[in-house]
Amino acid sequence: MKMNSLQFGKAMIAALFILLLNVAGVKNALAQNLVATLKHGDDISFYYGANALVDAHNAAETGDIITLSSGTFAPTTITKAITLRGAGCMEDTISGVHPTVIPSNMYFNVEDTVNYLTVEGVLFSGYVNRYWLHHPKFVKCNFNSFGHSGDSMDNAQFINCVLNSISFSYSSNTTLINCVIWNTNNMNNANRTVTAFNSIFCLTANNPAALTAYNCIFFRRGYDYSLSQYSDAHNCIGIRNIYASTSLFNCNNYNCMEVNNFSDVFETFAGDFSYEEPFILKEEIATGFLGDDGTEVGIHGGYIPYDPRPSYQIVRHYSVPQKSDNEGHLNVEIEVYNEGE
């Protein structure tokens, strides 16, 4: 793998480039590894340290892009329709890039109904609490807990995300695409409509009453929960694993199948939660029981197969000198991982 040196332009498009910041007098305070960049139009600002996200968000305006380096950042309340990008939601063993982690309570409260929030490539290892959210998009993020505070979330999209727990209370028209959802809370109301494509569900609380599922895999833990009432299942697999005599599809279902054990479907998955679990299907399932689009069911099929690596170039390393040069410039070296080089 080789790295090239290019001058920083309007975006991070080089494998290695030198950024000249006009910040005279900056010294030891900038010699840190935690970095947030704020892109506003053609202008880019840098913030450093554990509070970098807090500071960047305070300075941001609607439509701006905040990009976080690897590392652990202090949380804040996102109130602006911005794009928030991290280095990834888990360690990338190929690129060597570590995740961006927000370890404690994070809040989203964006009341803007014209411009929308987008978040990608972040591990939220603490508790995420939402207030107002309209058309938010969460891409390639891992969540320990995604809760609510009584306000409404509508038309949310989760793409290539792993959620240890999520509450669907006070939400409508949620779309899940190639996601893993471990604890499905409060999806038992006809008003909480959820549509899922190529996702994996562990049913641990309530019977989903308004879920439309395509090419998904379901299993349960603890009780004989099942899809019910207004739910529909298309080309889905149910793993009974307990309560083997009780179907998981107590609803309209089309071309679905059920088995008794995890080993009937997966190569290695045996029912324990892990962000790193690959959920590889057995060959006979991957090729013999297809989704309605002709690809395999579960998170590796469909139009957006699961891949935790962010869709944009990832900053592998920031090198921030302890002082500016004789012209008052701070020469920040940024090494960006380019796939395939």
Side-chain angles (χ1 to χ4, degrees), residues 181-198:
I181 305 92
W182 197 259
N183 290 289
T184 54
N185 297 308
N186 300 312
M187 199 165 41
N188 58 332
N189 187 300
N191 295 324
R192 299 166 193 157
T193 51
V194 180
T195 303
F197 300 90
N198 288 89

Side-chain angles (χ1 to χ4, degrees), residues 312-330:
Y312 40 83
Q313 286 186 319
I314 313 166
V315 176
R316 172 182 282 165
H317 177 71
Y318 286 88
S319 178
V320 184
Q322 294 188 2
K323 61 182 180 179
S324 55
D325 61 21
N326 293 332
E327 297 180 357
H329 297 155
L330 188 70

Side-chain angles (χ1 to χ4, degrees), residues 324-340:
S324 55
D325 61 21
N326 293 332
E327 297 180 357
H329 297 155
L330 188 70
N331 298 320
V332 182
E333 293 186 357
I334 303 178
E335 181 182 319
V336 181
Y337 173 76
N338 275 338
E339 187 174 5

Side-chain angles (χ1 to χ4, degrees), residues 6 8-9 17-21 44 46 330-334:
L6 297 176
F8 177 76
F17 59 87
I18 305 299
L19 178 63
L20 300 179
L21 295 177
I44 293 186
F46 278 61
L330 188 70
N331 298 320
V332 182
E333 293 186 357
I334 303 178

Side-chain angles (χ1 to χ4, degrees), residues 277-297:
E277 170 59 48
F279 293 102
I280 303 301
L281 301 183
K282 285 186 171 295
E283 180 66 21
E284 57 267 29
I285 297 296
T287 59
F289 185 84
L290 301 179
D292 63 352
D293 60 355
T295 67
E296 67 179 82
V297 300

Side-chain angles (χ1 to χ4, degrees), residues 51-275:
N51 285 318
L53 170 58
V54 178
D55 298 335
H57 177 263
N58 288 340
E61 299 180 21
T62 297
D64 288 355
I65 301 173
I66 296 176
T67 303
L68 303 177
S69 67
S70 299
T72 302
F73 291 84
T76 188
T77 300
I78 302 295
T79 60
K80 304 167 185 178
I82 60 169
T83 294
L84 176 62
R85 293 174 172 173
C89 63
M90 58 191 298
E91 183 177 2
D92 191 325
T93 58
I94 296 176
S95 68
V97 175
H98 296 288
T100 297
V101 182
I102 299 180
S104 52
N105 293 357
M106 182 78 177
Y107 301 90
F108 293 104
N109 186 21
V110 182
E111 297 188 48
D112 196 328
T113 60
V114 177
N115 305 284
Y116 310 130
L117 171 74
T118 298
V119 182
E120 181 170 353
V122 179
L123 167 59
F124 296 96
S125 60
Y127 183 78
V128 170
N129 208 354
R130 60 172 169 84
Y131 294 84
W132 293 103
L133 281 177
H134 305 283
H135 293 264
K137 182 182 289 187
F138 298 95
V139 184
K140 301 176 185 291
C141 292
N142 287 348
F143 296 90
N144 178 53
S145 178
F146 193 97
H148 69 93
S149 289
D151 294 320
S152 176
M153 178 177 73
D154 63 81
N155 295 287
Q157 288 188 19
F158 294 85
I159 303 170
N160 282 195
C161 292
V162 178
L163 299 106
N164 184 34
S165 176
I166 180 172
S167 173
F168 292 97
S169 291
Y170 300 97
S171 66
S172 61
N173 299 324
T174 303
T175 302
L176 304 163
I177 302 174
N178 294 76
C179 292
V180 177
I181 305 92
W182 197 259
N183 290 289
T184 54
N185 297 308
N186 300 312
M187 199 165 41
N188 58 332
N189 187 300
N191 295 324
R192 299 166 193 157
T193 51
V194 180
T195 303
F197 300 90
N198 288 89
S199 294
I200 296 175
F201 288 84
C202 176
L203 304 182
T204 57
N206 311 124
N207 296 307
L211 169 64
T212 301
Y214 299 89
N215 317 323
C216 295
I217 300 173
F218 295 88
F219 60 94
R220 55 195 171 204
R221 294 176 65 87
Y223 295 94
D224 56 343
Y225 294 123
S226 61
L227 278 68
S228 63
Q229 290 184 282
Y230 309 106
S231 292
D232 285 325
H234 304 257
N235 296 74
C236 294
I237 297 177
I239 305 173
R240 297 187 183 98
N241 64 293
I242 53 175
Y243 299 98
S245 63
T246 306
S247 172
L248 279 89
F249 301 117
N250 188 22
C251 64
N252 291 328
N253 62 92
Y254 309 90
N255 193 32
C256 294
M257 68 173 288
E258 293 190 76
V259 298
N260 287 333
N261 302 303
F262 293 107
S263 59
D264 295 325
V265 176
F266 294 106
E267 287 286 352
T268 59
F269 177 62
D272 295 322
F273 177 80
S274 170
Y275 291 121

